[in-house]
Amino acid sequence: MADLLIFGYGNPGRGDDALGPALLDLLESHLDPDTRQAAGGIECLTDFQLQVEHALDLAGRKLVLFADAHARCDPPYRFERLAPAGAMAYTTHALSPAAVLGVYQRINGVAPPPCFLLGIRGDDFELGAALSQAAQGHLQAALRLVLDLCRHPHPDHWQAYVSNG
């Protein structure tokens, strides 16, 4: 099991909503063996949305990065540290990353590994649309950040990138 989990989620059929999975596609082609080894192994997972079951994917990790499209952050992205959410609605079809952390904590009785969220700015979420030109630029900036994070897989280093405001 890899120490570092990177989870990109979003709907590839909805324009810029594909930014999470698109980041993982780019990342896989840019990661070299030395970076993978420095991180203690890197596993990339994608899905359309987060579900309760994804809490199981956090087990045994030392660090987790969630990546998704964000419609309201300043370009090119927002980077933040996550904390487990206390309450959760059981009727929802999708969960926030904080809710997934909360599920992990409830089922395991311990805090989840350090987790961060990278929200990449998107503008066009229409069904059938391709990634917008602006989103493609934001994706390249996010890739540069994630490559640095992978080269320095430690929460203290990652914390230095947390967006203010």
Side-chain angles (χ1 to χ4, degrees):
M1 172 168 300
D3 287 347
L4 173 56
L5 172 64
I6 304 175
F7 197 121
Y9 57 100
N11 185 342
R14 285 198 156 293
D16 294 350
D17 197 43
L19 282 165
L23 175 66
L24 268 58
D25 288 344
L26 274 177
L27 183 63
E28 288 284 3
S29 67
H30 284 80
L31 282 174
D32 58 66
D34 291 338
T35 300
R36 287 180 185 274
Q37 184 177 1
I42 300 170
E43 183 176 351
C44 295
L45 294 176
T46 62
D47 209 333
F48 281 84
Q49 60 189 14
L50 297 175
Q51 301 288 337
V52 173
E53 295 83 358
H54 290 125
L56 301 173
D57 294 316
L58 306 180
R61 309 299 180 166
K62 292 187 179 174
L63 202 50
V64 178
L65 175 64
F66 292 89
D68 189 20
H70 194 301
R72 294 179 302 276
C73 70
D74 290 335
Y77 54 75
R78 178 165 176 77
F79 188 67
E80 59 190 283
R81 180 112 185 221
L82 294 169
M88 180 180 114
Y90 291 98
T91 59
T92 185
H93 292 287
L95 299 176
S96 69
V100 172
L101 273 59
V103 170
Y104 177 91
Q105 189 165 294
R106 281 190 293 285
I107 63 176
N108 291 297
V110 297
C115 296
F116 292 79
L117 173 61
L118 174 61
I120 308 165
R121 175 61 185 258
D123 296 306
D124 183 1
F125 295 87
E126 292 297 317
L127 185 61
L131 279 180
S132 68
Q133 186 172 8
Q136 291 178 36
H138 305 323
L139 179 61
Q140 291 301 315
L143 175 64
R144 288 188 296 275
L145 170 68
V146 173
L147 285 169
D148 182 71
L149 297 175
C150 289
R151 290 182 191 109
H152 304 95
H154 192 277
D156 291 340
H157 181 82
W158 289 27
Q159 187 68 36
Y161 286 105
V162 169
S163 304
N164 294 323

